Amino acid sequence: MLPSLAVTLERVRSHPQLAGASAQVAAPQTGAALARAAYKPDWRVELGYGYRPAFTEMVMLQVRFILLTQ
């Protein structure tokens, strides 16, 4: 007698070769995502305020961006 469709599908989903194949697919996808992220520019904005009683007050704005990261 043949097993039911639900039992057959569950056996297919839990098959060890399919688990290994999905891991083989996930590894290159992760590598590609990391490579795409490496080419995105890195933006940073810093704002600072300094109270200096002996001098005038200080406000600082710094904008930095790195076009390519390695």
Side-chain angles (χ1 to χ4, degrees), residues 11-59:
R11 288 181 183 169
V12 168
R13 286 186 191 112
S14 63
H15 196 276
Q17 286 183 339
L18 288 179
S22 70
Q24 288 176 345
V25 170
Q29 288 176 342
T30 303
L34 289 172
R36 279 192 300 274
Y39 285 102
K40 291 184 179 176
D42 180 20
W43 287 88
R44 296 177 188 193
V45 177
E46 297 177 15
L47 180 64
Y49 171 77
Y51 175 71
R52 306 179 303 172
F55 304 100
T56 60
E57 296 177 0
M58 178 182 72
V59 176

